[in-house]
DNA sequence: CTCCAGGCTTTAG
DNA sequence: CTAAAGCATGGA
């Protein structure tokens, strides 16, 4: 086990975990256990620092993107002079965008569509327990996120029994395709081409493609618009369009390479009732 | 009870 | 091309 220490000002455990970008974490002791792919860490705050304890510290250094200077991102948010965004950035100052596994992000956000976060966590947890390799961390067992090969062996009915609802066929078909084709060729594509390719998978529409691109492929020029960001657009930016494609184009045009960070500030603040 | 959730696919116009 | 119905499930 190794420990990483990083100042909490730009690394809030609660804000980073509770801002809706990941679904595999649980309260433990004074912090949380976090699971990603087949790895685990224990994370907590102590004396103004955020501590990551893991036997895969290199993995989690990258996962939490600790090489990036978030003071520049926070100050960028304030520089736009948009009251709602300034408030959101202040509220979510400690948020960091995670660099998650690509396939885990794809499946997780397919499950997330038209769904509540507690239920999303439940479906993913049951999927890992049923199909993921058993691992051990700090004396407790946990399950890795399943491989596409393991997922591809199950029919749609299996995912419905896990509670996935109508997304059952999306999971089964996407798993079969990724298991056969792989995703290696996607990683080198520029963001617009990457999104275009993601849209060809069953169950991936514009919003899920944006989330997979942002959280799985590290594309911070993506601005996912869900029901909460649609409200932000109308209520806090006085937007008049009603289709989400226009909203995404508006925000990405405004924020460019910083889109993903600004989106996450706004999402977290809106959902927690900190705007308005 | 109805409404809604980090929306997508399918069908109709 | 855009618009709207239908979709599984469970919490508020």
């Amino acid at each position: 086990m190794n420990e990483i220490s990083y100042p909490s000002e730009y690394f809030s455990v609660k804000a980073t975990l509770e801002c809706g970008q990941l679904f595999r974490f649980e309260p433990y002791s004074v912090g949380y256990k976090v699971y990603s792919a087949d790895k685990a860490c224990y994370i907590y705050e102590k004396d103004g620092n955020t501590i990551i304890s893991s036997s895969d510290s290199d993995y989690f250094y990258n996962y939490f993107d600790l090489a990036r200077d978030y003071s520049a991102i926070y100050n960028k948010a304030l520089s736009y002079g948009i009251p709602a965004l300034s408030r959101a950035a202040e509220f979510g100052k400690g948020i960091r965008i995670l660099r998650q596994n690509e396939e885990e992000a794809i499946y997780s956000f397919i499950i997330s569509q038209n769904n509540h976060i507690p239920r999303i966590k439940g479906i993913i947890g049951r999927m890992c327990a049923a199909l993921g390799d058993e691992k051990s961390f700090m004396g407790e067992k946990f399950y890795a996120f399943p491989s596409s090969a393991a997922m591809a062996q199950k029919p749609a009915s299996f995912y419905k029994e896990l509670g996935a609802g109508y997304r059952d066929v999306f999971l089964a078909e996407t798993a079969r395709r990724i298991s056969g084709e792989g995703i290696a060729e996607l990683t080198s594509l520029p963001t617009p081409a990457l999104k275009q390719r993601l849209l060809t998978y069953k169950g991936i529409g514009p919003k899920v493609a944006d989330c997979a691109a942002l959280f799985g492929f590290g594309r911070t020029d993506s601005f996912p618009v869900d029901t909460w960001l649609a409200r932000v657009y109308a209520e806090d930016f006085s937007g008049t369009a009603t289709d989400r494609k226009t909203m995404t184009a508006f925000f990405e045009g405004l924020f460019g390479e910083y889109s993903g960070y600004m989106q996450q500030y706004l999402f977290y603040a809106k959902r927690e009732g900190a705007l308005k």
Side-chain angles (χ1 to χ4, degrees), chain A residues 87 174 206 223:
Chain A
R87 248 176 293 145
T174 297
F223 194 104

Side-chain angles (χ1 to χ4, degrees), chain A residues 106-117 119-121 123-124 126-127 151 154-176 201-204 208:
Chain A
I106 287 171
Y107 296 118
S108 295
F109 282 95
I110 284 177
I111 292 169
S112 80
Q113 62 181 80
N114 202 31
N115 214 342
H116 286 99
I117 288 177
R119 184 171 170 231
I120 297 165
K121 293 168 106 173
I123 296 166
I124 293 173
R126 290 189 292 277
M127 208 171 84
M151 288 183 63
K154 296 296 183 182
S157 59
F158 171 83
Y159 298 99
K160 175 158 278 187
E161 288 167 14
L162 289 181
Y166 69 89
R167 307 158 195 82
D168 57 351
V169 292
F170 301 162
L171 292 169
E173 288 196 26
T174 297
R176 277 195 286 268
Y201 289 83
K202 203 58 106 179
I204 299 185
V208 171

Side-chain angles (χ1 to χ4, degrees), chain A residues 84-147:
Chain A
L85 180 57
S86 296
R87 248 176 293 145
E90 182 60 36
F91 181 75
K93 188 175 180 181
I95 289 175
R96 304 185 74 84
I97 301 289
L98 305 180
R99 304 179 67 84
Q100 301 185 52
N101 173 270
E102 295 93 335
E103 294 177 40
E104 179 167 348
I106 287 171
Y107 296 118
S108 295
F109 282 95
I110 284 177
I111 292 169
S112 80
Q113 62 181 80
N114 202 31
N115 214 342
H116 286 99
I117 288 177
R119 184 171 170 231
I120 297 165
K121 293 168 106 173
I123 296 166
I124 293 173
R126 290 189 292 277
M127 208 171 84
C128 293
L131 298 177
D133 292 339
E134 184 175 322
K135 301 282 182 179
S136 178
F137 179 66
M138 293 176 71
E140 289 183 348
K141 66 180 178 182
F142 73 98
Y143 296 93
F145 197 90
S147 67

Side-chain angles (χ1 to χ4, degrees), chain A residues 24 28 35 49 51 56 60 63 65 67 69-70 85 111 125 135 156 165 209 215 224 248 250 252 257-258 271 275:
Chain A
R24 287 207 297 150
Y28 177 80
Y35 309 97
N49 287 307
I51 313 295
D56 293 297
F60 285 104
Y63 179 80
D65 202 16
D69 172 20
Y70 265 71
L85 180 57
I111 292 169
K135 301 282 182 179
F215 301 121
T248 299
F250 166 76
E252 290 181 352
E257 292 293 322
Y258 292 88
R271 194 168 65 88
L275 295 184

Side-chain angles (χ1 to χ4, degrees), chain A residues 206-244:
Chain A
K207 191 270 177 182
V208 171
D210 285 343
C211 281
L214 175 59
F215 301 121
F217 293 81
R219 305 307 176 86
T220 63
D221 50 345
S222 292
F223 194 104
V225 173
D226 70 332
T227 163
W228 294 100
L229 265 300
R231 289 177 199 173
V232 169
Y233 173 80
E235 298 172 7
D236 302 297
F237 284 74
S238 303
T240 55
T242 55
D243 62 301
R244 293 185 180 183

